[in-house]
PDB file of all heavy atoms in Angstrom:
ATOM      1  N   GLY A   1       0.794  -1.230   0.000  1.00 97.00           N
ATOM      2  CA  GLY A   1       0.000   0.000   0.000  1.00 97.00           C
ATOM      3  C   GLY A   1       0.818   1.267   0.000  1.00 97.00           C
ATOM      4  O   GLY A   1       0.417   2.280   0.582  1.00 97.00           O
ATOM      5  N   MET A   2       1.978   1.251  -0.674  1.00 97.00           N
ATOM      6  CA  MET A   2       2.889   2.390  -0.621  1.00 97.00           C
ATOM      7  C   MET A   2       3.076   3.078  -1.974  1.00 97.00           C
ATOM      8  O   MET A   2       4.047   3.798  -2.172  1.00 97.00           O
ATOM      9  CB  MET A   2       4.241   1.943  -0.060  1.00 97.00           C
ATOM     10  CG  MET A   2       4.167   1.557   1.407  1.00 97.00           C
ATOM     11  SD  MET A   2       5.729   0.895   2.060  1.00 97.00           S
ATOM     12  CE  MET A   2       6.763   2.359   1.969  1.00 97.00           C
ATOM     13  N   ILE A   3       2.147   2.858  -2.899  1.00 98.00           N
ATOM     14  CA  ILE A   3       2.204   3.598  -4.160  1.00 98.00           C
ATOM     15  C   ILE A   3       1.241   4.780  -4.058  1.00 98.00           C
ATOM     16  O   ILE A   3       0.035   4.605  -3.929  1.00 98.00           O
ATOM     17  CB  ILE A   3       1.820   2.722  -5.369  1.00 98.00           C
ATOM     18  CG1 ILE A   3       2.734   1.497  -5.452  1.00 98.00           C
ATOM     19  CG2 ILE A   3       1.910   3.537  -6.655  1.00 98.00           C
ATOM     20  CD1 ILE A   3       2.392   0.562  -6.601  1.00 98.00           C
ATOM     21  N   ASP A   4       1.795   5.989  -4.096  1.00 98.00           N
ATOM     22  CA  ASP A   4       0.973   7.191  -4.016  1.00 98.00           C
ATOM     23  C   ASP A   4       0.579   7.706  -5.396  1.00 98.00           C
ATOM     24  O   ASP A   4      -0.515   8.257  -5.571  1.00 98.00           O
ATOM     25  CB  ASP A   4       1.741   8.292  -3.269  1.00 98.00           C
ATOM     26  CG  ASP A   4       2.130   7.852  -1.870  1.00 98.00           C
ATOM     27  OD1 ASP A   4       1.223   7.718  -1.030  1.00 98.00           O
ATOM     28  OD2 ASP A   4       3.331   7.621  -1.629  1.00 98.00           O
ATOM     29  N   TYR A   5       1.479   7.536  -6.357  1.00 98.00           N
ATOM     30  CA  TYR A   5       1.237   8.005  -7.722  1.00 98.00           C
ATOM     31  C   TYR A   5       1.750   6.957  -8.707  1.00 98.00           C
ATOM     32  O   TYR A   5       2.766   6.305  -8.449  1.00 98.00           O
ATOM     33  CB  TYR A   5       1.962   9.329  -7.989  1.00 98.00           C
ATOM     34  CG  TYR A   5       1.558  10.446  -7.059  1.00 98.00           C
ATOM     35  CD1 TYR A   5       2.274  10.692  -5.887  1.00 98.00           C
ATOM     36  CD2 TYR A   5       0.458  11.247  -7.346  1.00 98.00           C
ATOM     37  CE1 TYR A   5       1.902  11.699  -5.020  1.00 98.00           C
ATOM     38  CE2 TYR A   5       0.074  12.271  -6.484  1.00 98.00           C
ATOM     39  CZ  TYR A   5       0.804  12.487  -5.314  1.00 98.00           C
ATOM     40  OH  TYR A   5       0.427  13.484  -4.454  1.00 98.00           O
ATOM     41  N   LEU A   6       1.055   6.818  -9.808  1.00 98.00           N
ATOM     42  CA  LEU A   6       1.538   6.002 -10.919  1.00 98.00           C
ATOM     43  C   LEU A   6       1.909   6.930 -12.063  1.00 98.00           C
ATOM     44  O   LEU A   6       1.268   7.970 -12.271  1.00 98.00           O
ATOM     45  CB  LEU A   6       0.468   5.016 -11.387  1.00 98.00           C
ATOM     46  CG  LEU A   6       0.240   3.789 -10.503  1.00 98.00           C
ATOM     47  CD1 LEU A   6      -1.001   3.043 -10.955  1.00 98.00           C
ATOM     48  CD2 LEU A   6       1.453   2.865 -10.528  1.00 98.00           C
ATOM     49  N   GLY A   7       2.942   6.566 -12.805  1.00 98.00           N
ATOM     50  CA  GLY A   7       3.352   7.373 -13.945  1.00 98.00           C
ATOM     51  C   GLY A   7       3.675   6.488 -15.129  1.00 98.00           C
ATOM     52  O   GLY A   7       4.064   5.325 -14.965  1.00 98.00           O
ATOM     53  N   SER A   8       3.521   7.043 -16.317  1.00 98.00           N
ATOM     54  CA  SER A   8       3.908   6.277 -17.502  1.00 98.00           C
ATOM     55  C   SER A   8       5.416   6.301 -17.701  1.00 98.00           C
ATOM     56  O   SER A   8       5.997   5.344 -18.193  1.00 98.00           O
ATOM     57  CB  SER A   8       3.214   6.848 -18.751  1.00 98.00           C
ATOM     58  OG  SER A   8       3.757   8.117 -19.089  1.00 98.00           O
ATOM     59  N   ASP A   9       6.060   7.418 -17.306  1.00 98.00           N
ATOM     60  CA  ASP A   9       7.484   7.648 -17.602  1.00 98.00           C
ATOM     61  C   ASP A   9       7.745   7.392 -19.083  1.00 98.00           C
ATOM     62  O   ASP A   9       8.798   6.891 -19.478  1.00 98.00           O
ATOM     63  CB  ASP A   9       8.385   6.767 -16.742  1.00 98.00           C
ATOM     64  CG  ASP A   9       9.817   7.302 -16.633  1.00 98.00           C
ATOM     65  OD1 ASP A   9      10.090   8.388 -17.198  1.00 98.00           O
ATOM     66  OD2 ASP A   9      10.658   6.631 -16.007  1.00 98.00           O
ATOM     67  N   MET A  10       6.772   7.750 -19.885  1.00 98.00           N
ATOM     68  CA  MET A  10       6.815   7.499 -21.329  1.00 98.00           C
ATOM     69  C   MET A  10       7.849   8.402 -22.001  1.00 98.00           C
ATOM     70  O   MET A  10       7.807   9.611 -21.894  1.00 98.00           O
ATOM     71  CB  MET A  10       5.426   7.758 -21.913  1.00 98.00           C
ATOM     72  CG  MET A  10       5.227   7.340 -23.344  1.00 98.00           C
ATOM     73  SD  MET A  10       3.579   7.841 -23.953  1.00 98.00           S
ATOM     74  CE  MET A  10       2.482   6.908 -22.892  1.00 98.00           C
ATOM     75  N   HIS A  11       8.801   7.774 -22.712  1.00 98.00           N
ATOM     76  CA  HIS A  11       9.804   8.510 -23.464  1.00 98.00           C
ATOM     77  C   HIS A  11       9.579   8.434 -24.976  1.00 98.00           C
ATOM     78  O   HIS A  11      10.150   9.227 -25.727  1.00 98.00           O
ATOM     79  CB  HIS A  11      11.207   7.955 -23.177  1.00 98.00           C
ATOM     80  CG  HIS A  11      11.769   8.346 -21.844  1.00 98.00           C
ATOM     81  ND1 HIS A  11      11.208   7.931 -20.647  1.00 98.00           N
ATOM     82  CD2 HIS A  11      12.854   9.100 -21.516  1.00 98.00           C
ATOM     83  CE1 HIS A  11      11.935   8.421 -19.647  1.00 98.00           C
ATOM     84  NE2 HIS A  11      12.931   9.129 -20.142  1.00 98.00           N
ATOM     85  N   ASN A  12       8.806   7.457 -25.420  1.00 98.00           N
ATOM     86  CA  ASN A  12       8.619   7.228 -26.852  1.00 98.00           C
ATOM     87  C   ASN A  12       7.365   6.387 -27.076  1.00 98.00           C
ATOM     88  O   ASN A  12       6.742   5.905 -26.117  1.00 98.00           O
ATOM     89  CB  ASN A  12       9.855   6.533 -27.447  1.00 98.00           C
ATOM     90  CG  ASN A  12      10.261   5.306 -26.636  1.00 98.00           C
ATOM     91  OD1 ASN A  12       9.467   4.378 -26.465  1.00 98.00           O
ATOM     92  ND2 ASN A  12      11.483   5.306 -26.116  1.00 98.00           N
ATOM     93  N   ILE A  13       7.009   6.198 -28.323  1.00 98.00           N
ATOM     94  CA  ILE A  13       5.789   5.471 -28.652  1.00 98.00           C
ATOM     95  C   ILE A  13       5.910   3.990 -28.330  1.00 98.00           C
ATOM     96  O   ILE A  13       4.908   3.304 -28.076  1.00 98.00           O
ATOM     97  CB  ILE A  13       5.395   5.706 -30.132  1.00 98.00           C
ATOM     98  CG1 ILE A  13       3.879   5.528 -30.323  1.00 98.00           C
ATOM     99  CG2 ILE A  13       6.196   4.845 -31.074  1.00 98.00           C
ATOM    100  CD1 ILE A  13       3.043   6.577 -29.643  1.00 98.00           C
ATOM    101  N   LYS A  14       7.144   3.463 -28.316  1.00 98.00           N
ATOM    102  CA  LYS A  14       7.346   2.065 -27.910  1.00 98.00           C
ATOM    103  C   LYS A  14       6.871   1.850 -26.483  1.00 98.00           C
ATOM    104  O   LYS A  14       6.216   0.844 -26.169  1.00 98.00           O
ATOM    105  CB  LYS A  14       8.824   1.687 -28.040  1.00 98.00           C
ATOM    106  CG  LYS A  14       9.143   0.288 -27.530  1.00 98.00           C
ATOM    107  CD  LYS A  14      10.642   0.016 -27.542  1.00 98.00           C
ATOM    108  CE  LYS A  14      10.963  -1.330 -26.895  1.00 98.00           C
ATOM    109  NZ  LYS A  14      12.424  -1.590 -26.847  1.00 98.00           N
ATOM    110  N   HIS A  15       7.196   2.787 -25.599  1.00 98.00           N
ATOM    111  CA  HIS A  15       6.726   2.695 -24.224  1.00 98.00           C
ATOM    112  C   HIS A  15       5.204   2.673 -24.179  1.00 98.00           C
ATOM    113  O   HIS A  15       4.604   1.943 -23.369  1.00 98.00           O
ATOM    114  CB  HIS A  15       7.250   3.871 -23.404  1.00 98.00           C
ATOM    115  CG  HIS A  15       8.711   3.801 -23.100  1.00 98.00           C
ATOM    116  ND1 HIS A  15       9.421   4.868 -22.606  1.00 98.00           N
ATOM    117  CD2 HIS A  15       9.597   2.780 -23.225  1.00 98.00           C
ATOM    118  CE1 HIS A  15      10.680   4.515 -22.420  1.00 98.00           C
ATOM    119  NE2 HIS A  15      10.816   3.253 -22.795  1.00 98.00           N
ATOM    120  N   ALA A  16       4.581   3.483 -25.016  1.00 98.00           N
ATOM    121  CA  ALA A  16       3.117   3.513 -25.060  1.00 98.00           C
ATOM    122  C   ALA A  16       2.547   2.153 -25.429  1.00 98.00           C
ATOM    123  O   ALA A  16       1.594   1.668 -24.817  1.00 98.00           O
ATOM    124  CB  ALA A  16       2.641   4.570 -26.057  1.00 98.00           C
ATOM    125  N   HIS A  17       3.142   1.505 -26.426  1.00 98.00           N
ATOM    126  CA  HIS A  17       2.683   0.180 -26.846  1.00 98.00           C
ATOM    127  C   HIS A  17       2.784  -0.833 -25.706  1.00 98.00           C
ATOM    128  O   HIS A  17       1.864  -1.636 -25.486  1.00 98.00           O
ATOM    129  CB  HIS A  17       3.516  -0.319 -28.028  1.00 98.00           C
ATOM    130  CG  HIS A  17       3.195   0.369 -29.314  1.00 98.00           C
ATOM    131  ND1 HIS A  17       4.066   0.362 -30.379  1.00 98.00           N
ATOM    132  CD2 HIS A  17       2.120   1.078 -29.709  1.00 98.00           C
ATOM    133  CE1 HIS A  17       3.529   1.035 -31.386  1.00 98.00           C
ATOM    134  NE2 HIS A  17       2.364   1.481 -30.991  1.00 98.00           N
ATOM    135  N   ILE A  18       3.909  -0.803 -24.989  1.00 98.00           N
ATOM    136  CA  ILE A  18       4.120  -1.752 -23.895  1.00 98.00           C
ATOM    137  C   ILE A  18       3.078  -1.545 -22.800  1.00 98.00           C
ATOM    138  O   ILE A  18       2.491  -2.506 -22.276  1.00 98.00           O
ATOM    139  CB  ILE A  18       5.543  -1.612 -23.331  1.00 98.00           C
ATOM    140  CG1 ILE A  18       6.583  -1.997 -24.388  1.00 98.00           C
ATOM    141  CG2 ILE A  18       5.720  -2.480 -22.079  1.00 98.00           C
ATOM    142  CD1 ILE A  18       8.006  -1.662 -23.994  1.00 98.00           C
ATOM    143  N   ILE A  19       2.840  -0.287 -22.453  1.00 98.00           N
ATOM    144  CA  ILE A  19       1.848   0.023 -21.426  1.00 98.00           C
ATOM    145  C   ILE A  19       0.451  -0.413 -21.862  1.00 98.00           C
ATOM    146  O   ILE A  19      -0.298  -1.032 -21.090  1.00 98.00           O
ATOM    147  CB  ILE A  19       1.872   1.526 -21.095  1.00 98.00           C
ATOM    148  CG1 ILE A  19       3.181   1.888 -20.369  1.00 98.00           C
ATOM    149  CG2 ILE A  19       0.667   1.917 -20.234  1.00 98.00           C
ATOM    150  CD1 ILE A  19       3.422   3.372 -20.209  1.00 98.00           C
ATOM    151  N   MET A  20       0.100  -0.125 -23.101  1.00 98.00           N
ATOM    152  CA  MET A  20      -1.233  -0.472 -23.593  1.00 98.00           C
ATOM    153  C   MET A  20      -1.458  -1.982 -23.555  1.00 98.00           C
ATOM    154  O   MET A  20      -2.522  -2.461 -23.143  1.00 98.00           O
ATOM    155  CB  MET A  20      -1.427   0.086 -25.000  1.00 98.00           C
ATOM    156  CG  MET A  20      -1.452   1.607 -25.042  1.00 98.00           C
ATOM    157  SD  MET A  20      -1.422   2.281 -26.717  1.00 98.00           S
ATOM    158  CE  MET A  20      -3.160   2.527 -26.987  1.00 98.00           C
ATOM    159  N   ASP A  21      -0.456  -2.736 -23.972  1.00 98.00           N
ATOM    160  CA  ASP A  21      -0.576  -4.194 -23.931  1.00 98.00           C
ATOM    161  C   ASP A  21      -0.724  -4.684 -22.487  1.00 98.00           C
ATOM    162  O   ASP A  21      -1.525  -5.580 -22.203  1.00 98.00           O
ATOM    163  CB  ASP A  21       0.636  -4.854 -24.585  1.00 98.00           C
ATOM    164  CG  ASP A  21       0.638  -4.727 -26.108  1.00 98.00           C
ATOM    165  OD1 ASP A  21      -0.434  -4.434 -26.676  1.00 98.00           O
ATOM    166  OD2 ASP A  21       1.710  -4.909 -26.714  1.00 98.00           O
ATOM    167  N   TYR A  22       0.044  -4.094 -21.582  1.00 98.00           N
ATOM    168  CA  TYR A  22      -0.010  -4.529 -20.188  1.00 98.00           C
ATOM    169  C   TYR A  22      -1.375  -4.231 -19.559  1.00 98.00           C
ATOM    170  O   TYR A  22      -1.892  -5.040 -18.768  1.00 98.00           O
ATOM    171  CB  TYR A  22       1.099  -3.859 -19.381  1.00 98.00           C
ATOM    172  CG  TYR A  22       1.139  -4.315 -17.939  1.00 98.00           C
ATOM    173  CD1 TYR A  22       1.532  -5.616 -17.624  1.00 98.00           C
ATOM    174  CD2 TYR A  22       0.771  -3.471 -16.904  1.00 98.00           C
ATOM    175  CE1 TYR A  22       1.553  -6.061 -16.301  1.00 98.00           C
ATOM    176  CE2 TYR A  22       0.789  -3.899 -15.588  1.00 98.00           C
ATOM    177  CZ  TYR A  22       1.178  -5.197 -15.291  1.00 98.00           C
ATOM    178  OH  TYR A  22       1.188  -5.631 -13.991  1.00 98.00           O
ATOM    179  N   LEU A  23      -1.954  -3.095 -19.893  1.00 98.00           N
ATOM    180  CA  LEU A  23      -3.257  -2.741 -19.327  1.00 98.00           C
ATOM    181  C   LEU A  23      -4.350  -3.713 -19.751  1.00 98.00           C
ATOM    182  O   LEU A  23      -5.382  -3.823 -19.079  1.00 98.00           O
ATOM    183  CB  LEU A  23      -3.656  -1.311 -19.727  1.00 98.00           C
ATOM    184  CG  LEU A  23      -2.775  -0.180 -19.204  1.00 98.00           C
ATOM    185  CD1 LEU A  23      -3.390   1.172 -19.549  1.00 98.00           C
ATOM    186  CD2 LEU A  23      -2.541  -0.294 -17.702  1.00 98.00           C
ATOM    187  N   ASN A  24      -4.111  -4.428 -20.838  1.00 98.00           N
ATOM    188  CA  ASN A  24      -5.087  -5.424 -21.306  1.00 98.00           C
ATOM    189  C   ASN A  24      -4.865  -6.800 -20.681  1.00 98.00           C
ATOM    190  O   ASN A  24      -5.574  -7.746 -21.012  1.00 98.00           O
ATOM    191  CB  ASN A  24      -5.020  -5.549 -22.834  1.00 98.00           C
ATOM    192  CG  ASN A  24      -5.656  -4.355 -23.525  1.00 98.00           C
ATOM    193  OD1 ASN A  24      -6.578  -3.735 -22.995  1.00 98.00           O
ATOM    194  ND2 ASN A  24      -5.173  -4.016 -24.697  1.00 98.00           N
ATOM    195  N   SER A  25      -3.887  -6.903 -19.778  1.00 97.00           N
ATOM    196  CA  SER A  25      -3.539  -8.203 -19.202  1.00 97.00           C
ATOM    197  C   SER A  25      -4.382  -8.509 -17.965  1.00 97.00           C
ATOM    198  O   SER A  25      -4.878  -7.606 -17.277  1.00 97.00           O
ATOM    199  CB  SER A  25      -2.057  -8.240 -18.828  1.00 97.00           C
ATOM    200  OG  SER A  25      -1.794  -7.394 -17.713  1.00 97.00           O
ATOM    201  N   LYS A  26      -4.495  -9.789 -17.653  1.00 97.00           N
ATOM    202  CA  LYS A  26      -5.187 -10.222 -16.440  1.00 97.00           C
ATOM    203  C   LYS A  26      -4.447  -9.742 -15.194  1.00 97.00           C
ATOM    204  O   LYS A  26      -5.067  -9.394 -14.184  1.00 97.00           O
ATOM    205  CB  LYS A  26      -5.313 -11.744 -16.420  1.00 97.00           C
ATOM    206  CG  LYS A  26      -6.267 -12.314 -17.459  1.00 97.00           C
ATOM    207  CD  LYS A  26      -6.344 -13.826 -17.352  1.00 97.00           C
ATOM    208  CE  LYS A  26      -7.297 -14.393 -18.398  1.00 97.00           C
ATOM    209  NZ  LYS A  26      -7.373 -15.886 -18.328  1.00 97.00           N
ATOM    210  N   GLU A  27      -3.115  -9.731 -15.271  1.00 97.00           N
ATOM    211  CA  GLU A  27      -2.338  -9.276 -14.122  1.00 97.00           C
ATOM    212  C   GLU A  27      -2.696  -7.849 -13.743  1.00 97.00           C
ATOM    213  O   GLU A  27      -2.872  -7.542 -12.558  1.00 97.00           O
ATOM    214  CB  GLU A  27      -0.842  -9.381 -14.411  1.00 97.00           C
ATOM    215  CG  GLU A  27       0.019  -8.892 -13.253  1.00 97.00           C
ATOM    216  CD  GLU A  27       1.503  -9.018 -13.516  1.00 97.00           C
ATOM    217  OE1 GLU A  27       2.008 -10.150 -13.422  1.00 97.00           O
ATOM    218  OE2 GLU A  27       2.148  -7.991 -13.818  1.00 97.00           O
ATOM    219  N   TRP A  28      -2.792  -6.965 -14.736  1.00 98.00           N
ATOM    220  CA  TRP A  28      -3.115  -5.572 -14.431  1.00 98.00           C
ATOM    221  C   TRP A  28      -4.514  -5.438 -13.840  1.00 98.00           C
ATOM    222  O   TRP A  28      -4.729  -4.664 -12.915  1.00 98.00           O
ATOM    223  CB  TRP A  28      -2.987  -4.694 -15.666  1.00 98.00           C
ATOM    224  CG  TRP A  28      -3.514  -3.309 -15.405  1.00 98.00           C
ATOM    225  CD1 TRP A  28      -4.652  -2.750 -15.901  1.00 98.00           C
ATOM    226  CD2 TRP A  28      -2.929  -2.309 -14.541  1.00 98.00           C
ATOM    227  NE1 TRP A  28      -4.826  -1.478 -15.404  1.00 98.00           N
ATOM    228  CE2 TRP A  28      -3.778  -1.191 -14.569  1.00 98.00           C
ATOM    229  CE3 TRP A  28      -1.777  -2.274 -13.759  1.00 98.00           C
ATOM    230  CZ2 TRP A  28      -3.510  -0.036 -13.844  1.00 98.00           C
ATOM    231  CZ3 TRP A  28      -1.519  -1.123 -13.027  1.00 98.00           C
ATOM    232  CH2 TRP A  28      -2.366  -0.032 -13.078  1.00 98.00           C
ATOM    233  N   ARG A  29      -5.477  -6.192 -14.358  1.00 97.00           N
ATOM    234  CA  ARG A  29      -6.834  -6.096 -13.829  1.00 97.00           C
ATOM    235  C   ARG A  29      -6.855  -6.428 -12.335  1.00 97.00           C
ATOM    236  O   ARG A  29      -7.528  -5.758 -11.550  1.00 97.00           O
ATOM    237  CB  ARG A  29      -7.774  -7.029 -14.594  1.00 97.00           C
ATOM    238  CG  ARG A  29      -8.133  -6.516 -15.977  1.00 97.00           C
ATOM    239  CD  ARG A  29      -9.376  -7.192 -16.523  1.00 97.00           C
ATOM    240  NE  ARG A  29      -9.149  -8.610 -16.798  1.00 97.00           N
ATOM    241  CZ  ARG A  29      -8.661  -9.074 -17.942  1.00 97.00           C
ATOM    242  NH1 ARG A  29      -8.336  -8.229 -18.919  1.00 97.00           N
ATOM    243  NH2 ARG A  29      -8.500 -10.372 -18.135  1.00 97.00           N
ATOM    244  N   LYS A  30      -6.100  -7.434 -11.939  1.00 97.00           N
ATOM    245  CA  LYS A  30      -6.024  -7.801 -10.530  1.00 97.00           C
ATOM    246  C   LYS A  30      -5.233  -6.764  -9.729  1.00 97.00           C
ATOM    247  O   LYS A  30      -5.657  -6.327  -8.645  1.00 97.00           O
ATOM    248  CB  LYS A  30      -5.381  -9.180 -10.394  1.00 97.00           C
ATOM    249  CG  LYS A  30      -5.259  -9.664  -8.957  1.00 97.00           C
ATOM    250  CD  LYS A  30      -4.607 -11.042  -8.910  1.00 97.00           C
ATOM    251  CE  LYS A  30      -4.455 -11.515  -7.465  1.00 97.00           C
ATOM    252  NZ  LYS A  30      -3.789 -12.839  -7.389  1.00 97.00           N
ATOM    253  N   LEU A  31      -4.088  -6.351 -10.260  1.00 98.00           N
ATOM    254  CA  LEU A  31      -3.215  -5.411  -9.556  1.00 98.00           C
ATOM    255  C   LEU A  31      -3.880  -4.044  -9.388  1.00 98.00           C
ATOM    256  O   LEU A  31      -3.760  -3.409  -8.332  1.00 98.00           O
ATOM    257  CB  LEU A  31      -1.897  -5.269 -10.320  1.00 98.00           C
ATOM    258  CG  LEU A  31      -0.793  -4.439  -9.668  1.00 98.00           C
ATOM    259  CD1 LEU A  31      -0.354  -5.069  -8.352  1.00 98.00           C
ATOM    260  CD2 LEU A  31       0.398  -4.305 -10.616  1.00 98.00           C
ATOM    261  N   SER A  32      -4.580  -3.589 -10.399  1.00 98.00           N
ATOM    262  CA  SER A  32      -5.189  -2.259 -10.348  1.00 98.00           C
ATOM    263  C   SER A  32      -6.221  -2.167  -9.223  1.00 98.00           C
ATOM    264  O   SER A  32      -6.351  -1.124  -8.579  1.00 98.00           O
ATOM    265  CB  SER A  32      -5.821  -1.899 -11.694  1.00 98.00           C
ATOM    266  OG  SER A  32      -6.878  -2.778 -12.014  1.00 98.00           O
ATOM    267  N   ARG A  33      -6.941  -3.247  -8.976  1.00 97.00           N
ATOM    268  CA  ARG A  33      -7.918  -3.251  -7.871  1.00 97.00           C
ATOM    269  C   ARG A  33      -7.209  -3.120  -6.526  1.00 97.00           C
ATOM    270  O   ARG A  33      -7.732  -2.507  -5.590  1.00 97.00           O
ATOM    271  CB  ARG A  33      -8.760  -4.525  -7.906  1.00 97.00           C
ATOM    272  CG  ARG A  33      -9.734  -4.590  -9.071  1.00 97.00           C
ATOM    273  CD  ARG A  33     -10.753  -5.704  -8.882  1.00 97.00           C
ATOM    274  NE  ARG A  33     -10.135  -7.026  -8.928  1.00 97.00           N
ATOM    275  CZ  ARG A  33      -9.985  -7.742 -10.038  1.00 97.00           C
ATOM    276  NH1 ARG A  33     -10.414  -7.258 -11.201  1.00 97.00           N
ATOM    277  NH2 ARG A  33      -9.426  -8.950  -9.996  1.00 97.00           N
ATOM    278  N   GLU A  34      -6.003  -3.685  -6.442  1.00 98.00           N
ATOM    279  CA  GLU A  34      -5.243  -3.639  -5.198  1.00 98.00           C
ATOM    280  C   GLU A  34      -4.688  -2.255  -4.913  1.00 98.00           C
ATOM    281  O   GLU A  34      -4.671  -1.790  -3.768  1.00 98.00           O
ATOM    282  CB  GLU A  34      -4.096  -4.655  -5.264  1.00 98.00           C
ATOM    283  CG  GLU A  34      -3.264  -4.737  -4.007  1.00 98.00           C
ATOM    284  CD  GLU A  34      -2.187  -5.811  -4.078  1.00 98.00           C
ATOM    285  OE1 GLU A  34      -2.021  -6.436  -5.159  1.00 98.00           O
ATOM    286  OE2 GLU A  34      -1.499  -6.025  -3.065  1.00 98.00           O
ATOM    287  N   ILE A  35      -4.225  -1.560  -5.962  1.00 98.00           N
ATOM    288  CA  ILE A  35      -3.533  -0.284  -5.733  1.00 98.00           C
ATOM    289  C   ILE A  35      -4.428   0.941  -5.869  1.00 98.00           C
ATOM    290  O   ILE A  35      -4.068   2.020  -5.411  1.00 98.00           O
ATOM    291  CB  ILE A  35      -2.321  -0.135  -6.689  1.00 98.00           C
ATOM    292  CG1 ILE A  35      -2.782  -0.108  -8.150  1.00 98.00           C
ATOM    293  CG2 ILE A  35      -1.314  -1.244  -6.454  1.00 98.00           C
ATOM    294  CD1 ILE A  35      -1.638   0.027  -9.133  1.00 98.00           C
ATOM    295  N   GLU A  36      -5.594   0.789  -6.458  1.00 98.00           N
ATOM    296  CA  GLU A  36      -6.456   1.951  -6.706  1.00 98.00           C
ATOM    297  C   GLU A  36      -6.724   2.788  -5.456  1.00 98.00           C
ATOM    298  O   GLU A  36      -6.709   4.036  -5.529  1.00 98.00           O
ATOM    299  CB  GLU A  36      -7.777   1.506  -7.337  1.00 98.00           C
ATOM    300  CG  GLU A  36      -8.689   2.674  -7.697  1.00 98.00           C
ATOM    301  CD  GLU A  36      -9.924   2.248  -8.478  1.00 98.00           C
ATOM    302  OE1 GLU A  36     -10.078   1.037  -8.764  1.00 98.00           O
ATOM    303  OE2 GLU A  36     -10.724   3.135  -8.809  1.00 98.00           O
ATOM    304  N   PRO A  37      -6.951   2.194  -4.271  1.00 98.00           N
ATOM    305  CA  PRO A  37      -7.280   3.018  -3.098  1.00 98.00           C
ATOM    306  C   PRO A  37      -6.193   4.001  -2.677  1.00 98.00           C
ATOM    307  O   PRO A  37      -6.488   4.993  -2.001  1.00 98.00           O
ATOM    308  CB  PRO A  37      -7.524   1.968  -1.999  1.00 98.00           C
ATOM    309  CG  PRO A  37      -7.920   0.736  -2.731  1.00 98.00           C
ATOM    310  CD  PRO A  37      -7.086   0.754  -3.980  1.00 98.00           C
ATOM    311  N   THR A  38      -4.931   3.754  -3.039  1.00 98.00           N
ATOM    312  CA  THR A  38      -3.851   4.635  -2.570  1.00 98.00           C
ATOM    313  C   THR A  38      -3.433   5.685  -3.604  1.00 98.00           C
ATOM    314  O   THR A  38      -2.654   6.584  -3.282  1.00 98.00           O
ATOM    315  CB  THR A  38      -2.597   3.816  -2.191  1.00 98.00           C
ATOM    316  OG1 THR A  38      -2.010   3.232  -3.368  1.00 98.00           O
ATOM    317  CG2 THR A  38      -2.944   2.723  -1.197  1.00 98.00           C
ATOM    318  N   ILE A  39      -3.939   5.598  -4.834  1.00 98.00           N
ATOM    319  CA  ILE A  39      -3.447   6.455  -5.924  1.00 98.00           C
ATOM    320  C   ILE A  39      -4.050   7.850  -5.860  1.00 98.00           C
ATOM    321  O   ILE A  39      -5.265   8.011  -5.805  1.00 98.00           O
ATOM    322  CB  ILE A  39      -3.733   5.797  -7.289  1.00 98.00           C
ATOM    323  CG1 ILE A  39      -3.046   4.430  -7.374  1.00 98.00           C
ATOM    324  CG2 ILE A  39      -3.255   6.705  -8.431  1.00 98.00           C
ATOM    325  CD1 ILE A  39      -1.553   4.451  -7.136  1.00 98.00           C
ATOM    326  N   LYS A  40      -3.177   8.863  -5.911  1.00 98.00           N
ATOM    327  CA  LYS A  40      -3.588  10.260  -5.723  1.00 98.00           C
ATOM    328  C   LYS A  40      -3.402  11.111  -6.979  1.00 98.00           C
ATOM    329  O   LYS A  40      -3.454  12.352  -6.896  1.00 98.00           O
ATOM    330  CB  LYS A  40      -2.798  10.883  -4.568  1.00 98.00           C
ATOM    331  CG  LYS A  40      -2.893  10.105  -3.251  1.00 98.00           C
ATOM    332  CD  LYS A  40      -1.943  10.670  -2.216  1.00 98.00           C
ATOM    333  CE  LYS A  40      -2.004   9.891  -0.903  1.00 98.00           C
ATOM    334  NZ  LYS A  40      -1.518   8.496  -1.040  1.00 98.00           N
TER     335      LYS A  40
END
């Protein structure tokens, strides 16, 4: 419970592709529910 902010730290379009693919994963769906309460 120690994540206060999430960031893309996006430097290029390749980073965008990686993030987009990850957001469609089962892991992210589970993880996002866990961290959502602390994100500001």
Side-chain angles (χ1 to χ4, degrees):
M2 292 175 67
I3 303 178
D4 301 290
Y5 301 93
L6 284 170
S8 70
D9 201 2
M10 189 185 297
H11 285 65
N12 50 58
I13 206 67
K14 175 186 174 182
H15 288 167
H17 286 161
I18 296 170
I19 291 170
M20 294 171 96
D21 287 342
Y22 183 69
L23 296 187
N24 286 330
S25 70
K26 291 181 180 179
E27 179 179 283
W28 172 251
R29 285 198 293 273
K30 180 180 179 182
L31 186 63
S32 63
R33 290 193 294 270
E34 182 177 5
I35 63 180
E36 183 173 359
T38 68
I39 301 304
K40 305 172 181 66

